Amino acid sequence: MTTPPQAQIFLSLSTTGEITAIAHGTQYRWAQTALEQSGFRRHQSGRYALAADAGEPDRKAAAGLVRLAARHSTTVHVSSRPYLGDFGDQVAAHLPGNWSSELEVYSHPLWQEDLVPLLWDAGELSPAVCNERIPYAVTLKEPSGIELLLVERPGAQQGYLVGALMTRDYERNYDTPYAPAGIRLGSSPGAAARDIAHRFLPAYRRALHQRRVTTVADALDSLRAGHRTLVSASASSPPALPNRSEEQGVTKGHLWLAFQDVLVHAPGVLARCDAAVSAWPGDGAALSRLREALAAGQDALAEWNTQQDALVRISPALREPPSDLRTRLALQVMSSIETWLADGDAFVRQALAVVPGRTLALPPGHDYTPQPAVAPPKRR
C-alpha cells in the first residue's frame, strides 16, 4: 500500500471565483505554511482561499504555489470537482425546509476519526470514513435534528456520498441496528437534493422510527422486570432493613434510567399515533393516558438533564448524576411508570402501524395483540 504524503494541498474552484485550498496530512502545517506564503488567507472553517479580486502580488505568489509547496515537502492536487462548500450550500438550498450547510476541515487524518462514533450509516459512507482519507466534508442540518454528512466519493473523479450522523437523542450511533444506508449522489445540486429528499430521507425517518419504537419496547421490558423486583422485595421483607433499603434504591434507580428512554423517545412516536384510524380503535383511551403520563414526567426529565449538563461542565467524564437523584426521580414518576406498564403494549402496537408503505419488524419475544385491560399495580 502506498503511504500517503505527509503534507498535501487540495485545490478547487469556488463559484465566487475564489481558489479554495485545504491543507491535509500528518504534517499539515507544512502545507499551511506554503499556502500562507503564497498569499492564501485562512478562513474560520479551516480552509484557505485566494480571492478572485486578489492583487497582483498575491496572484504572483499563488503562481509559485507548486514551487513553494515542494520546498515544504508538500504535494498539490487540483480537484476535478467544484469547491465542496459551494456544492453543500446549493444542495441545502434545494432541499425542502430550512436546511443549513457547513464545511468541516479535517487537516490531520486523526481528526477524521472523530466522525466514526457519530455515523449512523449502513451504506458506503461508513467504510469510506473509516478506511479512506477524508480531508473535508459538509454537514447538512435541519432544525428538527436531522444531520447528514456529505463527502466527495473516494476513488472517483465525480460524485458524492451522503449519509446520516448521530440523532439528537442517541449518544451512540455507529454500528447500531436499523441504520439507514447512505446513497451516492451525482454532480447536479438539484438532482442531489431530490435524491436526498425522495430516496434517503424517507428511509432515514423509517429507520429512526423503528429505532425509537424498539428503544421504548426494550425500556418497557426493563421497567416490568424492575417493577416486579421492587414489588417482590417490598412484600418479602421489611423495607426498614438497611440491606433491603439499599437494594430497593438500586432497583428504583434502574427504573428511572429505563423510564428516561420512554420520556425521551416516546413523545415523537406518540404524536403520529391515531387509534381511531388504526386496526385497534379501542386503544384511544390508553394512548391518552400514556400522553398524560409523559407530560407528568417532563419536569423530572428536565431536572435530570440539568444535573447531567452541570456535571459535564465540571468534568466531561462525569455523565451520570448520583444514585440518590435516580431514586428520587423514580419515586417522582412512579405513577407514570405504572401507567406505561399497564398501557405500554398499546403504544408499541400503534407505533408499528404508523409508517405508510412498510410493515415494521416486531421486537423479538413480544405479542402486541390487544389484551384484557389490567389495572396498574398499587404502589406500596
Side-chain angles (χ1 to χ4, degrees), residues 81 84 87-88 91 95 124 140 148-153 156 158-163 182-200:
R81 301 176 175 94
L84 182 62
F87 185 79
V91 170
L95 285 170
E124 290 184 55
L140 298 168
L148 310 181
L149 188 72
L150 173 69
V151 302
E152 294 174 346
R153 187 182 166 206
Q158 300 291 332
Y160 304 87
L161 299 176
V162 71
I183 60 174
R184 295 180 183 179
L185 302 174
S187 299
S188 164
R194 286 193 295 274
D195 283 342
I196 292 173
H198 298 296
R199 289 174 53 205
F200 181 75

Side-chain angles (χ1 to χ4, degrees), residues 4-302:
Q6 291 180 295
Q8 298 171 283
I9 293 173
F10 295 91
L11 298 176
S12 57
L13 185 63
S14 171
T15 56
T16 63
E18 285 184 331
I19 300 175
T20 296
I22 303 293
H24 181 71
T26 55
Q27 300 296 333
Y28 67 91
R29 294 189 186 278
W30 298 348
Q32 289 180 336
T33 299
L35 287 168
E36 289 162 1
Q37 291 181 357
S38 299
F40 283 76
R41 300 292 180 264
R42 190 177 188 275
H43 288 233
Q44 187 175 1
S45 65
R47 72 180 178 95
Y48 284 77
L50 184 70
D53 58 353
E56 185 67 21
D58 281 343
R59 287 199 297 270
K60 286 183 177 179
L65 175 60
V66 174
R67 175 179 51 81
L68 279 168
R71 184 184 300 171
H72 293 283
S73 303
T74 299
T75 60
V76 179
H77 306 270
V78 179
S79 177
S80 59
R81 301 176 175 94
Y83 166 51
L84 182 62
D86 289 344
F87 185 79
D89 289 343
Q90 293 163 357
V91 170
H94 281 89
L95 285 170
N98 185 24
W99 288 78
S100 62
S101 168
E102 182 178 355
L103 181 78
E104 295 187 346
V105 175
Y106 316 115
S107 290
H108 196 290
L110 289 178
W111 300 355
Q112 177 185 330
E113 295 180 7
D114 292 340
L115 290 170
V116 173
L118 307 182
L119 292 168
W120 193 42
D121 174 71
E124 290 184 55
L125 182 63
S126 285
V129 171
C130 293
N131 302 315
E132 305 288 343
R133 284 203 171 183
I134 308 289
Y136 44 85
V138 159
T139 54
L140 298 168
K141 299 180 182 180
E142 196 263 348
S144 69
I146 301 174
E147 189 167 345
L148 310 181
L149 188 72
L150 173 69
V151 302
E152 294 174 346
R153 187 182 166 206
Q157 294 299 309
Q158 300 291 332
Y160 304 87
L161 299 176
V162 71
L165 286 174
M166 66 182 299
T167 50
R168 177 179 292 170
D169 298 327
Y170 286 96
E171 290 185 358
R172 182 179 180 274
N173 288 271
Y174 181 70
D175 195 27
T176 55
Y178 314 116
I183 60 174
R184 295 180 183 179
L185 302 174
S187 299
S188 164
R194 286 193 295 274
D195 283 342
I196 292 173
H198 298 296
R199 289 174 53 205
F200 181 75
L201 288 178
Y204 170 91
R205 292 187 174 102
R206 285 193 297 268
L208 183 56
H209 182 86
Q210 172 93 63
R211 189 178 184 186
R212 283 176 169 160
V213 173
T214 303
T215 298
V216 175
D218 290 343
L220 288 173
D221 285 344
S222 296
L223 288 171
R224 291 187 183 101
H227 196 268
R228 282 196 300 269
T229 299
L230 190 62
V231 171
S232 175
S234 298
S236 61
S237 66
L241 295 177
N243 60 339
R244 182 59 65 187
S245 297
E246 182 178 347
E247 178 184 341
Q248 291 185 17
V250 171
T251 302
K252 290 170 185 173
H254 290 164
L255 284 176
W256 165 254
L257 293 177
F259 194 60
Q260 180 195 200
D261 276 343
V262 177
L263 290 170
V264 170
H265 298 289
V269 178
L270 259 182
R272 306 180 63 190
C273 296
D274 184 355
V277 297
S278 74
W280 305 280
D283 285 342
L287 294 185
S288 294
R289 290 191 293 269
L290 293 175
R291 291 187 177 99
E292 292 171 1
L294 287 180
Q298 292 307 306
D299 286 345
L301 181 61

